[in-house]
Amino acid sequence: QVQLVESGGGSVQPGGSLRLSCVASGKPFVWTFMAWYRQAPGKQRELVAAFTNGGTTTYADSVKGRFTISRDNAKNTPSLEMNSLKPEDTGVYYCNVRVTTTPYDYWGQGTQVTVSS
C-alpha cells in the first residue's frame, strides 16, 4: 500500500499564494498519473490540475494561469503552486496518484484551503 499526506493548506486573503505538497510512504510505485483535486462545501470533487507520465498536463479552466502543478522528483508526488487565490478556490484539496499495480489509485486525506478577506 501507499499512503499520501498533503500539507501546505491554510487561510489566505484574496490575491495570496499557497504551495501544496504531497508526501508518499509505503511500498515503491510506478506512477502513470498525478493530480490535485478539490472539493468545496456542498459541491462534488473536481479536478484542479493533473499530468501524465506521457507528458500531458491539464488544468481546470478556473485555475489556468494561476496554478502550476509540478512533480517533486525527490518525493515522487505532485506539488501545486497556487497564486492569485480567489474565494472560489476555497475547499479541501486532495493529492491523487495512479500507479501500475493494484489498487491503482491512491488519495491523501486532504488539506483545507480557505481564501477569505
Side-chain angles (χ1 to χ4, degrees), residues 1-114:
Q1 294 293 320
V2 175
Q3 294 78 42
L4 301 176
V5 178
E6 303 95 335
S7 62
S11 295
V12 295
Q13 294 186 338
S17 299
L18 286 173
R19 181 178 177 84
L20 304 183
S21 297
C22 180
V23 175
S25 62
K27 67 178 184 180
F29 58 87
V30 175
W31 65 277
T32 59
F33 174 91
M34 293 189 181
W36 286 93
Y37 287 76
R38 69 185 178 192
Q39 188 166 18
K43 295 187 177 181
Q44 290 189 331
R45 190 174 298 188
E46 64 173 351
L47 178 68
V48 175
F51 57 82
T52 70
N53 60 355
T56 301
T57 302
T58 302
Y59 292 95
D61 287 343
S62 59
V63 307
K64 284 180 181 177
R66 300 188 297 121
F67 290 12
T68 302
I69 189 171
S70 61
R71 177 188 167 202
D72 187 321
N73 290 329
K75 300 174 183 176
N76 206 24
T77 51
S79 296
L80 187 68
E81 183 75 30
M82 305 187 294
N83 298 313
S84 303
L85 283 161
K86 304 176 180 181
E88 50 264 42
D89 294 319
T90 294
V92 179
Y93 284 68
Y94 298 91
C95 171
N96 173 240
V97 176
R98 299 177 192 173
V99 302
T100 57
T101 56
T102 186
Y104 303 113
D105 198 17
Y106 292 102
W107 293 85
Q109 83 292 343
T111 185
Q112 177 70 45
V113 171
T114 302

